[in-house]
Amino acid sequence: NGTAIFTQDQKLPGMLTAVVLHPPRFGAKVASFDAAGVQGIPGVRQVIEIPTGVAVLASNFWSAKKARDALKVQWDDSAAYKGSSAEIMAGFRKAAEQPGAVARNEGDAAKAIAGAARVLEASYEFPYLAHAAMEPLNCVIRIADDDTIEVWNGEQMHTGDQFALAKYFGVKPEQVKINMLFAGGSFGRRANPAADYLLECASIALALARAGQRNVPVKLVWTREDDMRAGYYRPAFFHSLKAGLDAGGNVVGWQHRLVGQSIAAGTAFESGMVKNGVDATSVEGASNLPYALPAIHVDLHSPKLPVPVLWWRSVGSTHTAYSTETFVDELAAAAKQDPVEFRRGLLGKHPRHLAVLELAAREAGWGKPLAPGKSGEKRGRGVALHESFNTYVAEVVEVTVKADNSFTVDRVVCAVDCGIAVNPDNVRAQMEGGIGYGLSAALYGAITLKDGVVEQSNFHDYPALRINEAPRIEVHIVPSTAAPTGVGEPGTPVVAPALANALFAATGKRLRTLPMKLT
């Protein structure tokens, strides 16, 4: 009914709005700045240099933004990153030529593949992705006279934020009160282990307090451009896969090498998530592949780069589901087997995976011919299967490819086993939203760097799926008595490989670089 309060709605007496001019390159610092052009802009109160850039405080957002646009800043780029996306990916490819830290090793995959009747290889490239939530980052912080800190924020990881702020201000955690408001999307961006935007707001509030201005609420607002260009991102990744088939079309060996930045390394989560050089979030979906394989080897390189990275809706599964499920499709085609039947034959020990596969296939009419398209059009149907966050999802996608190689996603049939569906309507809504989010990334998502500068800035060059592009989505829930699991993320990683497999069925083309392009 419109009464829900988001952080952007929050208004407090005497509140100042802050916007920050961030450096264009990661690692750059302020060398000097000239605020002369800010003089005379109504509502502007102060201009402050902070560790992450230059902050402008005003009585309202528009005045603060106008003043920020008038600032003249000289950046110290001596320690700034000046690489490009092409250079990053080239480095990843080079790293993939050597063995990495072992995430899974069963049998002798190299020997099995060497003796196979047929060997298939494929490599995949995944770009950085922005979270692009509809409500960009924002928060409100007030320092009281007694050194208590009060925060208003759309929280995703409140305990971590409370401890990070307590450490920053040098107070006890119980002196930090967090008012949790609604967030207009997050997808992992507001679960930052470094609490970056909160600490940025904290630095502004602390500067005011040290100048004798306590009890002044500071509302930090990031613009869409800030959100796109100032990090954090889903890591870019490179995958190299190789598998062998025997004369009967059976998989005898599987090798999977991944190269990409660790999200957990250097954070409070490192000790629990990084073991023997392997970040579990980097290889999830690859190291726990459910298919019955006589020999499998998965390893990982985690190069360190200055580009800040973070969880992104369904984390490692965002890239592992794509590479594994499109490669399985390639193996099925090489074995001259139906994609569903091929998977079915490898899932004997995983009944929950098998159940969602069969439900999605049945409800989609798998095996029945698609209605023909208009003259010059080709139609195709593809399937994919994946487990993330202990929830099992299979999706079947139907596409129509036009003569000019443009295409539409017509229908998505989703089957989900999330244990007991406590609120079936919510399960369906989350699957639908996750599918839409996954399609946005598959069709459009790419953050690219040139000379160290992020090239995208807003939805004109980092599009989100529009309502007229959205497919018809059908969600089918597997009845279950198992403990309920997550539904906010597992719908996302499955749609891209299912779409890629549908496009192969229609055109015979394999897509190994995202976002997808047929031309």
Side-chain angles (χ1 to χ4, degrees):
N1 62 7
T3 58
I5 300 298
F6 293 76
T7 309
Q8 193 61 30
D9 301 319
Q10 186 67 33
K11 296 179 181 178
L12 296 170
M15 185 175 75
L16 295 178
T17 297
V19 297
V20 176
L21 184 61
H22 298 102
R25 294 185 176 91
F26 301 111
K29 301 289 184 183
V30 176
S32 63
F33 70 92
D34 181 358
V38 172
Q39 304 299 325
I41 296 178
V44 175
R45 298 290 187 267
Q46 294 186 54
V47 179
I48 303 172
E49 181 178 343
I50 59 174
T52 55
V54 181
V56 177
L57 290 105
S59 59
N60 60 83
F61 167 77
W62 190 242
S63 293
K65 182 184 180 302
K66 285 174 67 178
R68 183 182 70 171
D69 293 346
L71 285 174
K72 294 181 180 179
V73 178
Q74 293 293 321
W75 301 104
D76 176 2
D77 282 343
S78 58
Y81 181 67
K82 297 180 181 178
S84 69
S85 294
E87 291 168 348
I88 291 172
M89 196 55 66
F92 286 5
R93 287 192 214 99
K94 185 70 176 175
E97 295 174 4
Q98 302 297 324
V102 177
R104 181 178 177 183
N105 187 48
E106 297 171 10
D108 191 335
K111 182 178 179 180
I113 293 171
R118 184 171 180 183
V119 176
L120 281 80
E121 297 183 63
S123 60
Y124 298 84
E125 297 180 7
F126 302 92
Y128 290 105
L129 294 177
H131 296 78
M134 290 298 109
E135 181 188 19
L137 296 173
N138 46 37
C139 60
V140 179
I141 295 179
R142 180 174 62 196
I143 303 174
D145 288 330
D146 60 358
D147 285 333
T148 57
I149 315 298
E150 191 162 7
V151 181
W152 292 261
N153 187 38
E155 287 285 340
Q156 193 175 349
M157 194 176 287
H158 52 278
T159 303
D161 288 342
Q162 183 187 42
F163 277 74
L165 287 168
K167 181 179 179 180
Y168 181 83
F169 285 113
V171 300
K172 296 177 181 179
E174 54 266 32
Q175 290 177 263
V176 179
K177 177 185 178 182
I178 295 182
N179 301 283
M180 294 191 293
L181 306 178
F182 285 93
S186 177
F187 314 119
R189 184 61 182 92
R190 288 180 169 88
N192 188 352
D196 67 310
Y197 72 101
L198 277 167
L199 293 182
E200 184 172 83
C201 187
S203 70
I204 301 168
L206 185 60
L208 290 182
R210 286 173 173 169
Q213 300 179 64
R214 289 175 176 259
N215 292 307
V216 177
V218 176
K219 180 180 186 178
L220 174 69
V221 177
W222 281 32
T223 65
R224 175 67 58 200
E225 290 77 9
D226 296 329
D227 215 18
M228 288 283 182
R229 289 181 164 165
Y232 287 50
Y233 308 103
R234 194 287 305 269
F237 259 85
F238 178 81
H239 291 219
S240 176
L241 287 96
K242 180 189 288 188
L245 298 171
D246 65 16
N250 303 299
V251 183
V252 296
W254 175 287
Q255 291 180 316
H256 190 169
R257 180 162 296 153
L258 304 89
V259 185
Q261 288 167 260
S262 167
I263 292 171
T267 74
F269 297 92
E270 182 171 7
S271 61
M273 291 185 174
V274 181
K275 302 293 183 184
N276 300 317
V278 176
D279 183 336
T281 67
S282 294
V283 297
E284 60 187 0
S287 60
N288 60 335
L289 202 66
Y291 300 117
L293 304 169
I296 179 172
H297 182 90
V298 180
D299 62 24
L300 170 72
H301 290 278
S302 300
K304 295 181 179 179
L305 289 165
V307 183
V309 295
L310 188 58
W311 352 95
W312 187 95
R313 193 174 186 175
S314 71
V315 199
S317 293
T318 61
H319 46 93
T320 60
Y322 189 89
S323 62
T324 57
E325 282 300 289
T326 56
F327 195 56
V328 164
D329 234 59
E330 291 198 41
L331 294 175
K336 295 182 171 54
Q337 294 186 36
D338 174 82
V340 170
E341 291 302 318
F342 187 77
R343 288 172 172 81
R344 183 180 283 128
L346 297 171
L347 291 172
K349 295 183 179 180
H350 291 273
R352 296 180 77 177
H353 289 82
L354 184 59
V356 290
L357 174 68
E358 292 182 336
L359 178 58
R362 181 172 66 251
E363 294 296 335
W366 190 271
K368 300 177 182 177
L370 286 166
K374 299 176 182 177
S375 177
E377 293 181 342
K378 301 174 184 177
R379 303 204 66 215
R381 183 189 281 135
V383 66
L385 167 75
H386 195 73
E387 173 197 351
S388 57
F389 302 91
N390 299 311
T391 291
Y392 309 82
V393 176
E395 293 174 16
V396 175
V397 170
E398 295 176 3
V399 296
T400 298
V401 181
K402 299 180 172 61
D404 62 358
N405 275 331
S406 64
F407 60 89
T408 58
V409 185
D410 305 321
R411 181 188 183 207
V412 179
V413 178
C414 171
V416 54
D417 176 356
C418 56
I420 297 171
V422 177
N423 185 335
D425 283 346
N426 187 57
V427 173
R428 293 187 185 94
Q430 289 291 341
M431 291 298 114
E432 292 164 355
I435 287 167
Y437 196 71
L439 279 175
S440 284
L443 299 175
Y444 306 120
I447 289 292
T448 58
L449 282 78
K450 184 178 180 180
D451 192 25
V453 177
V454 172
E455 296 184 284
Q456 291 71 33
S457 64
N458 210 312
F459 287 128
H460 69 286
D461 51 13
Y462 193 92
L465 192 76
R466 300 284 180 157
I467 192 69
N468 64 302
E469 300 170 305
R472 179 161 55 98
I473 300 175
E474 304 166 23
V475 178
H476 303 275
I477 303 170
V478 174
S480 176
T481 58
T485 51
V487 293
E489 305 186 69
T492 296
V494 192
V495 68
L499 171 56
N501 293 336
L503 289 170
F504 169 77
T507 67
K509 295 179 181 179
R510 292 289 183 187
L511 302 178
R512 296 179 180 150
T513 300
L514 291 181
M516 295 179 181
K517 291 182 177 62
L518 281 175
T519 53

